Amino acid sequence: MFRLCFSPLLTAVTAGLLSSGLCAAETLRILNWEEYLSDEVIALWQQETGVRIEQVYFDSDEIRDQILNTSQKINFDLAIMDQLITPQFGNKGTIVEIPPERIPNLSHIGDEHRNACSRYGVPYAWGMVGIIYRSDKVTRPESWNDLLTPAAELQGHISMLYDYLDTLIPPLQAMDQDFMTEDRETLKQAFEILKKQAPSLLTLQYPISFMRNSPQAEQLYMGMAYSGDQYVLNEMSDGDERWKFTVPGEGGAIWRDCLTVMAESDNKAQALAFIDFLNRPHIAAMNAESLYVAPVNHSALTELSSDFLNDTEVFPGAEVLAKSQNYRPISSESVTLRKRITGAMRKLYEAK
Amino acid sequence: MRLNKRAGLLMLPVILAAYITAAISVFQLQRKTVEKAELSQLSHNMAELKTIHDNHSRFASNYLFTLLKGNVLKGYLNEQNDYLRARTLGISLEEALYGLLPDQSGFASITLIQPNRQVMFYYENSEDPFADISPEHKSIAIQTLSSGQSRNQKLILNQDNALLLYTLIIDRETMLQPVDFSAPGTLALQMALEAVELNSRISAIEKRYMARVDISASAPERPFSHAVALTPEITVSMTIPKAYFDSLLQPFKQQLMLAITGLSAATLLMLSLLIRRFITQPIAKLDQQLAAVMEKRLDNIANSEGDDEISHLAGSFHKLYQRLSDAHEITRRLSLTDSLTTLPNRSSFTQQLTAALESNPQAQLALLFIDLDNFKFVNDRFGHEAGDSLLRSFAHRTQSLLRHRDSDERSPDDIFFSRLSGDEFAILIRNIRQPQTAPEIARRIIEQFDNGFKVERIKYPVSASIGIALYPRDAGNASQLISNADAAMYQAKSEGKNRYSIYSEKLTQKARQLKEIEQQLRSIVFDQEFHLVFMPTLNRDAEVSHCEALLRWNSPSLGNVPPDLFIPIAESTGSFAHIDKWVLNQALAAYPSLQRRFGEQLTLSINLSAAELENPQLEQMLLDALARHPVDSRHIELEITETFNAHHSSRHIAVLNRIRAIGFSIVIDDFGTGYTSMLQMVEYPVDKIKLDKTFTGMLTQPRQRKLLKPIIDLCHSQQICVTAEGIETRQQQQLLMEAGCDYFQGYLICKPERLERLPQEIPDSVVRVLSV
């Protein structure tokens, strides 16, 4: 029996392949997170250029990395990547270096974001790693510990992200440690916390995937997530605003996504044009409000509604940001060790 | 112990032994079957281990094959970027391992080792993310690398865990077996896979058989073991321990034991029932019959007709008891029968009497107590044979007499005739209706003795004295009745024998007195209680010519006992001889004193019992007495009471003649009271007769006076002197004088007195009459 968790991905890929086969018109294929590009924006783009946008979704960085790091041709024009893998794929030649002159709207993006995405990626969005929770079931969690050692009533209603980097954020931050640490002993302690948490878990699936696919969806009350996920979840529950996002008191991790152009793309010009389109302040603002994520385009901020701008779920306060930490590259050994830690955690969870 | 119980106790061990033997056989058989089945099961289980191992092995092979042929490993090895390799391909390898492993998989690891011994990649899916490759696995990889073999398959055992370890040597470029093992691109790809299913099967087998599965290079040959070679190098084997079979067979053993117990109990019960029905019950029945027979509820046990031993036993018992019963009946009859007369004996009589009184206390009974008078005399004189013959004859005649009369009036059972002892007989008349029956029977018995009792031409001088007592008039119980009849019989005897006497209270006293006398006589010391008195006799000249020695008994308990009371008793008991001897000697001793008082010519009269005539020692006794006392026998008269029987006269005459020859005179005492005829008397060799006191009185009556002189004359004519006794009046004395009587004795003349009190002279008044 094979335990491949790619099903949503495969479905999306199949749909893409079919549509590409059916339509001979010019098309941009984007490997993207689900609900991570505004349909409104896509429509505007198509209206303007006649180029169709086709998306294939992934629901974890690992899966995306595996999809991309293959010798086989995969036929994507664009891909959304995290800030850490972007330069690596760039160095490998999987993605191409972005020529700044081809993206005039790059000027609207701040250097803190542009540096993070290196020269191979254009910043797309940023946000926090935190906790989503059902406001109708749970009071706002104050600490990662509310997630790591959940109260009795939350046993079996908790989800964690399954990611060699992100999974370790809650225990390490709860321990007041650098979540990118490579210290084995620290990681061991963090693993002990995860081991204790494992029996309380409902799932290790990405909450959006879980909510979409699991018959137990209603059992999820609280989970580790990325900011913006709450918006998607609320959309899924017919606009009911029950899902909330919060960054625990210990602080969160600041993530940044980069938009990259695949080296194998036959349509690099259109891909770059699409990136530039997305960075028009008006479009960026529209996309951000639609996705409920913070834009990297500082010019777009002026275009945003004041409600949106004041939403701390989208724009965490300076205090939170001060406590939060950025991702940074770690050694391949540490990657392997962290992978083994999450693997062991998954084993513990499944043994439950 | 009862037979049933004993049979049970005897059978139980046998039954148990039989069933236990059978059970052991069954058990052994079952054990063999179980062993066979279990061995077969074991071989199946072991074969299963082989299959599971092969599955594991196949899985590992497939997995490695997939890795080698797929892009993941290739991509990983070709990825130059360490970070990407780790983040993407490394994760893919892990995911591949994770994804391909079966459910509930145990430990699994993938290792890539370079020839420089450096671990290029190690991933294990354990719950310990910090664990390193096991040095053992690593050394196997390195060893394989240097050995030049392209692959190595091992089953590694760590405690209870079997681990499949596959090591492949590949060229990192071609992903194939390297052409040159020493080329720099050579790698060891090692996969460790915990043989979870194998382990669980092994532990299941171990749990089942309670023994270890042995995993080694070769399998030992042992009974109850089975081995399977998982790989050419590794053999698993299992030896079923005895305890396993024991535990398997335990329920069977228990069932068997239960069955034995049940069957034994059932068999025992059935056998017991059968034994009871066919063996012990008949025995018990026999026993009950015997008990009934012994308790007289049954005459004899039933004569069984069966053909079995118990019926034979019953038959034998029947015969035996019949014989015993017959013998007993004879013995009983003998014990109740007097052998001499064949009459019932005393115990029979007592039984009958007791039974009669017990069966009907209101019955009217009469008891006749018969004692033959003078029977001792017959025995002494004629010998015991004659006595026995007399007793037989008496019994026989009386029996026929009673039977004869029985047929007239009543049923024979009503009269029970028995011999009590010696010359004592008893007749019990039950249910007496007429008061005269008993006396009548008594009379008819006595009639048989008229003129003596003749047996075989000899007439014996015996008679019968009979005492009659009636129940309930005279006695309240059997012993009293006997005793009273006995007393009445004594009365009859004392009244002169040959008669019957009916019991009365007065009689009883008298009889008791007689009995007392008889008892006293047996133990008396003569010198202390007897003494003599002397009674002078006058001759026609009024001189004291004779002095009669008379015996007086002054008993401390009975007082003065008159001689006419105790002398007959002494005669009947035989003690008379001693008394006579004492009297004779005492009188002779007193004679000189009497002589001094009454003159040299005084004759001393001494009474002898009539029975002395039958005493062969008489002469000698007389001679001895004369020898002891210097007395002239011519001065001694021996007085004998006239009780002579004519039939013995010749013998008596001879005795009398011999006594006379010694010099003694013979005097017939108490003449006129007995039944000796005058004629007979005068034939006797006697010197004198003494007229009895009553006879004297009668002859001095006016009517008989004229007989007095002829009687005296008759005596004188035979040279017999006559003494008159009991003279109490002068007239009597005068009449006697006139009739020619020679001597005079009586209270008128002188009372009998002790020697020292005898008067010197006879009173004048008496003398005067004589001299007239």
Side-chain angles (χ1 to χ4, degrees):
Chain A
M1 177 180 172
F2 300 96
R3 194 176 305 215
L4 293 170
C5 300
F6 303 169
S7 50
L9 171 74
L10 289 174
T11 314
V13 169
T14 312
L17 289 172
L18 281 170
S19 53
S20 70
L22 283 171
C23 184
E26 201 176 356
T27 301
L28 280 180
R29 283 167 54 80
I30 305 174
L31 183 62
N32 195 8
W33 293 90
E34 193 182 3
E35 305 270 347
Y36 205 42
L37 183 58
S38 164
D39 291 339
E40 227 177 320
V41 170
I42 291 170
L44 283 173
W45 163 257
Q46 284 183 346
Q47 204 180 349
E48 188 177 306
T49 62
V51 176
R52 291 186 64 234
I53 298 294
E54 208 175 271
Q55 296 186 81
V56 171
Y57 305 130
F58 61 87
D59 68 351
S60 86
D61 288 338
E62 287 180 11
I63 286 166
R64 179 203 58 218
D65 293 352
Q66 285 171 36
I67 293 167
L68 293 178
N69 194 21
T70 171
S71 52
Q72 287 161 337
K73 195 169 165 63
I74 43 170
N75 237 346
F76 288 113
D77 298 301
L78 293 150
I80 295 283
M81 292 185 188
D82 64 80
Q83 63 182 74
L84 292 182
I85 203 73
T86 302
Q88 302 293 344
F89 276 127
N91 290 340
K92 196 189 173 190
T94 309
I95 53 176
V96 295
E97 192 175 333
I98 305 286
E101 66 279 11
R102 299 283 294 273
I103 318 281
N105 286 321
L106 209 55
S107 60
H108 298 292
I109 302 171
D111 283 347
E112 77 275 19
H113 296 305
R114 288 185 60 180
N115 291 342
C117 283
S118 82
R119 60 184 194 273
Y120 297 104
V122 176
Y124 180 71
W126 69 278
M128 303 295 294
V129 173
I131 299 172
I132 49 147
Y133 61 97
R134 283 271 296 269
S135 58
D136 56 333
K137 301 273 183 191
V138 186
T139 54
R140 196 172 82 94
E142 301 286 344
S143 161
W144 284 119
N145 285 323
D146 293 335
L147 188 71
L148 292 167
T149 51
E153 64 268 23
L154 289 177
Q155 296 282 336
H157 299 288
I158 298 293
S159 79
M160 281 290 277
L161 293 174
Y162 181 69
D163 184 276
Y164 73 103
L165 285 176
D166 296 342
T167 303
L168 283 157
I169 291 170
L172 286 168
Q173 287 202 323
M175 287 162 63
D176 203 16
Q177 292 285 335
D178 171 13
F179 72 76
M180 295 306 290
T181 184
E182 295 186 45
D183 181 58
R184 278 179 75 92
E185 284 309 309
T186 309
L187 289 172
K188 261 188 190 171
Q189 290 170 30
F191 176 60
E192 290 304 314
I193 294 172
L194 292 175
K195 262 166 100 172
K196 288 200 184 90
Q197 187 203 28
S200 313
L201 291 177
L202 174 64
T203 181
L204 283 175
Q205 266 186 290
Y206 184 46
I208 294 172
S209 300
F210 181 76
M211 291 300 287
R212 193 181 295 291
N213 300 310
S214 172
Q216 285 185 293
E218 280 301 305
Q219 296 300 312
L220 183 61
Y221 296 169
M222 187 195 279
M224 185 186 177
Y226 305 110
S227 57
D229 288 345
Q230 81 278 15
Y231 179 71
V232 181
L233 294 175
N234 283 332
E235 291 269 287
M236 283 180 193
S237 39
D238 302 325
D240 187 356
E241 296 290 315
R242 60 187 179 185
W243 287 102
K244 302 275 187 209
F245 177 84
T246 187
V247 177
E250 294 92 347
I254 304 166
W255 55 264
R256 288 182 176 86
D257 278 343
C258 310
L259 201 50
T260 62
V261 176
M262 303 304 295
E264 60 178 13
S265 170
D266 299 330
N267 222 346
K268 293 192 184 71
Q270 282 293 2
L272 290 170
F274 182 62
I275 294 173
D276 191 49
F277 175 76
L278 286 177
N279 277 299
R280 288 177 194 169
H282 170 65
I283 298 297
M286 185 191 290
N287 199 35
E289 278 207 48
S290 171
L291 304 182
Y292 222 72
V293 293
V296 290
N297 192 312
H298 55 76
S299 302
L301 294 176
T302 55
E303 306 272 340
L304 296 172
S305 67
S306 58
D307 276 0
F308 187 71
L309 269 173
N310 291 327
D311 194 335
T312 51
E313 288 192 3
V314 183
F315 299 100
E319 198 185 328
V320 172
L321 283 174
K323 277 197 238 167
S324 300
Q325 193 190 336
N326 287 308
Y327 290 84
R328 67 165 191 273
I330 50 170
S331 68
S332 60
E333 288 78 17
S334 193
V335 170
T336 306
L337 178 58
R338 281 171 173 255
K339 179 59 200 162
R340 283 181 63 185
I341 290 172
T342 53
M345 178 209 180
R346 178 166 64 183
K347 216 169 150 66
L348 286 164
Y349 158 70
E350 282 171 356
K352 176 181 65 162
Chain B
M1 197 186 298
R2 296 189 71 88
L3 273 181
N4 277 331
K5 198 173 163 191
R6 179 176 297 177
L9 284 179
L10 289 175
M11 282 186 300
L12 187 61
V14 177
I15 291 169
L16 278 179
Y19 278 122
I20 286 170
T21 309
I24 287 170
S25 307
V26 170
F27 184 75
Q28 296 296 354
L29 210 64
Q30 178 69 9
R31 187 177 190 113
K32 284 212 170 63
T33 310
V34 166
E35 283 170 0
K36 208 170 152 190
E38 285 301 319
L39 265 183
S40 149
Q41 182 65 39
L42 178 64
S43 74
H44 178 75
N45 286 335
M46 298 308 270
E48 201 182 22
L49 287 185
K50 167 76 174 156
T51 308
I52 291 166
H53 173 266
D54 289 352
N55 283 343
H56 283 304
S57 175
R58 203 170 302 122
F59 172 78
S61 300
N62 288 346
Y63 182 79
L64 288 175
F65 180 79
T66 311
L67 270 187
L68 289 175
K69 296 303 169 194
N71 291 322
V72 176
L73 181 60
K74 201 171 192 172
Y76 180 88
L77 290 173
N78 292 338
E79 179 60 67
Q80 301 301 311
N81 183 323
D82 279 354
Y83 185 78
L84 269 182
R85 188 169 62 217
R87 238 195 92 161
T88 63
L89 295 162
I91 289 171
S92 296
L93 269 177
E94 290 157 17
E95 288 296 333
L97 184 64
Y98 171 74
L100 287 171
L101 284 176
D103 264 343
Q104 304 293 325
S105 63
F107 177 86
S109 72
I110 292 283
T111 316
L112 284 168
I113 294 179
Q114 293 170 314
N116 64 1
R117 304 190 169 206
Q118 198 187 327
V119 175
M120 193 182 173
F121 175 79
Y122 176 73
Y123 177 75
E124 65 170 58
N125 76 330
S126 73
E127 290 172 1
D128 179 9
F130 301 95
D132 277 329
I133 182 172
S134 127
E136 188 189 3
H137 297 180
K138 189 177 174 184
S139 79
I140 288 169
I142 289 162
Q143 214 179 312
T144 313
L145 265 174
S146 56
S147 71
Q149 291 172 311
S150 63
R151 62 190 290 138
N152 177 294
Q153 183 179 349
K154 260 197 146 65
L155 189 68
I156 293 182
L157 290 168
N158 272 327
Q159 286 158 351
D160 285 337
N161 262 336
L163 199 76
L164 281 167
L165 193 69
Y166 273 77
T167 311
L168 292 179
I169 307 301
I170 55 166
D171 182 281
R172 63 184 295 170
E173 298 298 331
T174 63
M175 304 301 284
L176 297 170
Q177 186 179 334
V179 178
D180 177 8
F181 277 74
S182 60
T186 304
L187 277 179
L189 170 62
Q190 191 177 59
M191 184 192 186
L193 188 67
E194 187 183 340
V196 177
E197 213 185 325
L198 189 67
N199 283 330
S200 75
R201 282 306 298 163
I202 286 176
S203 66
I205 290 172
E206 287 181 337
K207 197 174 164 194
R208 172 174 178 162
Y209 294 111
M210 300 175 290
R212 301 287 299 179
V213 169
D214 195 29
I215 303 180
S216 55
S218 62
E221 271 299 317
R222 289 206 207 97
F224 305 125
S225 79
H226 192 85
V228 162
L230 297 182
T231 68
E233 295 83 27
I234 291 177
T235 301
V236 286
S237 65
M238 157 65 79
T239 303
I240 304 177
K242 193 176 164 296
Y244 174 70
F245 292 121
D246 290 347
S247 74
L248 270 191
L249 289 165
Q250 189 58 30
F252 181 69
K253 196 187 247 175
Q254 282 169 353
Q255 281 172 6
L256 214 55
M257 279 161 80
L258 210 66
I260 291 175
T261 314
L263 280 173
S264 299
T267 310
L268 190 63
L269 187 70
M270 270 169 58
L271 282 177
S272 294
L273 286 176
L274 289 173
I275 285 171
R276 183 188 298 243
R277 168 72 182 77
F278 292 106
I279 297 173
T280 53
Q281 218 164 45
I283 291 174
K285 201 173 145 198
L286 185 59
D287 182 44
Q288 281 165 6
Q289 285 189 2
L290 283 173
V293 168
M294 282 192 291
E295 288 162 16
K296 310 262 187 216
R297 284 185 281 112
L298 207 63
D299 285 340
N300 198 341
I301 57 170
N303 205 349
S304 182
E305 288 169 3
D307 194 29
D308 53 287
E309 285 85 346
I310 292 168
S311 301
H312 290 172
L313 181 64
S316 302
F317 270 133
H318 180 83
K319 275 181 220 156
L320 179 66
Y321 184 77
Q322 196 58 57
R323 270 184 224 160
L324 280 175
S325 158
D326 292 348
H328 174 75
E329 182 53 32
I330 291 165
T331 312
R332 193 186 65 81
R333 226 168 18 229
L334 285 178
S335 79
L336 294 175
T337 306
D338 169 47
S339 57
L340 178 68
T341 59
T342 71
L343 284 177
N345 61 12
R346 179 185 285 277
S347 63
S348 175
F349 169 77
T350 312
Q351 268 180 27
Q352 288 290 328
L353 177 59
T354 312
L357 289 178
E358 273 173 7
S359 69
N360 183 12
Q362 268 75 50
Q364 299 280 328
L365 302 182
L367 175 60
L368 278 71
F369 203 104
I370 305 164
D371 187 280
L372 298 187
D373 306 319
N374 300 330
F375 176 71
K376 192 178 169 5
F377 165 79
V378 176
N379 257 355
D380 292 345
R381 175 66 183 83
F382 301 98
H384 287 281
E385 272 180 35
D388 289 350
S389 145
L390 187 148
L391 289 174
R392 260 198 301 274
S393 180
F394 170 71
H396 184 251
R397 282 179 215 172
T398 306
Q399 226 169 354
S400 71
L401 177 154
L402 291 171
R403 205 176 296 135
H404 178 65
R405 81 151 263 110
D406 284 348
S407 60
D408 289 348
E409 290 173 21
R410 55 190 77 225
S411 67
D413 268 356
D414 282 341
I415 291 181
F416 187 80
F417 179 40
S418 60
R419 180 188 175 205
L420 301 185
S421 69
D423 57 355
E424 284 180 353
F425 295 82
I427 294 170
L428 175 67
I429 307 169
R430 285 173 287 213
N431 225 354
I432 191 159
R433 280 180 221 149
Q434 293 172 308
Q436 71 270 26
T437 307
E440 190 213 316
I441 290 174
R443 202 183 60 245
R444 289 176 68 165
I445 290 168
I446 291 165
E447 273 173 9
Q448 296 179 96
F449 294 92
D450 282 351
N451 300 316
F453 195 84
K454 190 173 179 180
V455 184
E456 290 166 4
R457 280 180 294 164
I458 301 171
K459 247 191 180 173
Y460 296 101
V462 291
S463 59
S465 295
I466 299 175
I468 299 170
L470 300 176
Y471 173 90
R473 196 198 70 187
D474 300 332
N477 56 47
S479 61
Q480 212 181 339
L481 187 66
I482 295 173
S483 140
N484 289 351
D486 188 34
M489 182 276 287
Y490 265 96
Q491 172 63 21
K493 255 197 199 314
S494 68
E495 279 172 1
K497 302 176 179 175
N498 206 25
R499 67 193 67 203
Y500 69 87
S501 168
I502 295 172
Y503 171 83
S504 70
E505 193 56 38
K506 212 171 125 195
L507 247 175
T508 312
Q509 274 173 7
K510 195 172 175 193
R512 212 172 282 138
Q513 188 188 17
L514 291 177
K515 206 147 209 162
E516 193 77 3
I517 290 164
E518 188 180 326
Q519 277 166 7
Q520 292 284 330
L521 275 177
R522 286 205 190 97
S523 57
I524 191 169
V525 179
F526 293 165
D527 290 339
Q528 285 175 9
E529 296 187 25
F530 283 166
H531 66 267
L532 293 179
V533 293
F534 297 93
M535 193 170 185
T537 303
L538 294 181
N539 59 15
R540 290 184 71 87
D541 298 329
E543 293 163 351
V544 176
S545 57
H546 295 76
C547 229
E548 184 180 1
L550 294 165
L551 180 60
R552 289 293 180 266
W553 179 14
N554 190 11
S555 163
S557 56
L558 299 172
N560 285 321
V561 185
D564 53 352
L565 215 53
F566 72 83
I567 289 300
I569 295 171
E571 282 179 354
S572 70
T573 58
S575 60
F576 65 90
H578 304 288
I579 296 172
D580 282 349
K581 188 176 174 184
W582 186 84
V583 170
L584 183 66
N585 282 301
Q586 291 294 313
L588 290 180
Y591 182 67
S593 301
L594 291 169
Q595 262 187 324
R596 277 194 294 278
R597 182 156 304 180
F598 297 115
E600 288 294 311
Q601 294 308 308
L602 182 78
T603 300
L604 181 63
S605 299
I606 299 171
N607 287 284
L608 281 186
S609 168
E612 288 288 1
L613 291 181
E614 300 293 339
N615 184 2
Q617 307 297 318
L618 176 64
E619 268 181 76
Q620 194 55 49
M621 182 186 83
L622 294 172
L623 289 171
D624 288 348
L626 285 178
R628 210 170 294 133
H629 305 281
V631 177
D632 185 351
S633 61
R634 284 169 300 175
H635 291 144
I636 306 299
E637 285 179 352
L638 297 177
E639 294 187 9
I640 297 167
T641 312
E642 63 104 347
T643 51
F644 301 114
N645 191 314
H647 301 284
H648 303 124
S649 56
S650 57
R651 204 147 38 85
H652 291 170
I653 287 164
V655 174
L656 293 174
N657 281 333
R658 281 202 294 282
I659 295 171
R660 286 178 83 191
I662 296 169
F664 294 107
S665 305
I666 301 298
V667 180
I668 299 299
D669 201 5
D670 300 333
F671 186 81
T673 56
Y675 48 84
T676 314
S677 73
M678 200 79 176
L679 275 174
Q680 278 175 324
M681 187 51 58
V682 296
E683 283 174 4
Y684 268 64
V686 294
D687 299 293
K688 188 192 272 178
I689 59 164
K690 277 181 117 170
L691 300 178
D692 184 69
K693 181 186 169 189
T694 46
F695 197 48
T696 306
M698 190 184 79
L699 288 177
T700 51
Q701 294 288 313
R703 248 182 344 123
Q704 276 91 16
R705 236 176 247 173
K706 48 190 172 234
L707 287 174
L708 187 60
K709 193 168 178 348
I711 288 170
I712 294 171
D713 286 348
L714 177 63
C715 293
H716 284 168
S717 69
Q718 294 298 314
Q719 283 84 49
I720 296 172
C721 297
V722 177
T723 304
E725 285 182 315
I727 299 167
E728 288 172 351
T729 63
R730 289 168 191 275
Q731 190 193 8
Q732 280 178 327
Q733 191 171 357
Q734 196 160 354
L735 283 169
L736 288 164
M737 191 76 182
E738 282 167 10
C741 184
D742 302 299
Y743 301 102
F744 309 93
Q745 193 177 20
Y747 279 24
L748 179 70
I749 296 152
C750 186
K751 285 180 187 168
E753 291 285 2
R754 285 174 179 264
L755 180 62
E756 59 274 12
R757 285 160 87 185
L758 274 173
Q760 288 294 324
E761 286 176 0
I762 303 304
D764 274 355
S765 55
V766 177
V767 175
R768 226 179 290 128
V769 172
L770 287 176
S771 56
V772 167

